[in-house]
Amino acid sequence: MQQKNTYNKNELLMMANGDMFGQENAKLPLDPMLMIDRILSIEEDGGAYDKGSIVAELDISEQSWFFHCHFKGDPVMPGCLGLDGMWQLVGFFLTWSGARGKGRALGVGEVKFRGQIRPYHKKVIYKISIKKLITKSKSMIWADGEISADDKKIYIAKNLQVGIFENLVYDFGKDPSLDTF
């Protein structure tokens, strides 16, 4: 595979808009739900299982949108946003690896929170290790991830799972029975 190994925010937004891997393929969410500012490294080998790895960052500031609604007078980044950031990166890896179709988070085996991300932190660092990757008729990926804030490990996730599906069609609410997933 001859892909880039680093991506900046503008390139990640290109994927969110469907301009990187195509309109019919997996996309990252747009701001403010995009929980990644840059991918520092994405490799098809390496990581804890030597099957691939990603290192990425999210800049944190007092102006980060989630601090203004979670919780009033006690601002903390919701743990679900950190988990979603890990799923975003695992899905990016799957698409980067050649999978085609629309991506969906499928689950996580275990999540542990060992701290919190507050407005005084400067940076969130994601580290993802790919455990298993299938890019045949159905594309699936499993990975472990961790998030650190200013060098303190905050979240650990085991068995993050993402799938890519070619037959997902949204009919804009006309017939929910047509939703294949």
Side-chain angles (χ1 to χ4, degrees):
M1 136 182 27
Q2 278 294 32
Q3 292 279 28
K4 286 178 48 119
N5 297 99
T6 63
Y7 293 86
N8 63 36
K9 180 74 174 248
N10 287 335
E11 291 166 321
L12 297 174
L13 289 170
M14 285 176 57
M15 185 186 180
N17 282 305
D19 299 331
M20 183 177 291
F21 297 113
Q23 290 296 321
E24 296 303 315
N25 292 312
K27 297 176 182 76
L28 289 168
L30 291 165
D31 281 331
M33 281 303 298
L34 179 60
M35 298 306 298
I36 311 156
D37 282 322
R38 69 198 65 79
I39 294 176
L40 301 176
S41 170
I42 182 169
E43 303 290 337
E44 63 186 24
D45 51 18
Y49 308 99
D50 201 32
K51 295 186 181 215
S53 65
I54 310 168
V55 177
E57 295 178 333
L58 172 69
D59 297 326
I60 299 294
S61 78
E62 290 182 15
Q63 286 72 44
S64 296
W65 66 273
F66 40 81
F67 291 134
H68 300 281
C69 56
H70 190 264
F71 299 102
K72 186 173 183 175
D74 182 22
V76 61
M77 179 177 149
C80 60
L81 292 181
L83 180 60
D84 200 70
M86 288 190 271
W87 273 319
Q88 290 173 23
L89 287 165
V90 172
F92 185 94
F93 189 97
L94 186 55
T95 304
W96 178 84
S97 296
R100 297 296 173 247
K102 295 181 180 176
R104 296 293 186 266
L106 298 177
V108 61
E110 178 181 338
V111 178
K112 291 186 180 180
F113 300 107
R114 298 219 160 110
Q116 52 192 341
I117 300 168
R118 295 288 207 162
Y120 54 76
H121 288 112
K122 300 296 178 216
K123 192 171 297 194
V124 167
I125 300 167
Y126 297 94
K127 292 182 182 174
I128 306 290
S129 290
I130 307 307
K131 293 177 87 170
K132 185 176 181 181
L133 174 68
I134 300 169
T135 56
K136 298 191 188 237
S137 61
K138 291 185 180 183
S139 297
M140 305 281 281
I141 188 169
W142 292 262
D144 291 345
E146 66 181 50
I147 294 177
S148 298
D150 298 344
D151 298 323
K152 179 183 178 194
K153 196 180 294 185
I154 303 290
Y155 309 161
I156 299 168
K158 302 282 184 191
N159 293 315
L160 296 151
Q161 185 180 5
V162 174
I164 301 256
F165 304 91
E166 291 186 46
N167 59 346
L168 287 183
V169 176
Y170 181 62
D171 70 350
F172 298 93
K174 294 178 184 166
D175 185 357
S177 69
L178 295 177
D179 198 352
T180 56
F181 178 74

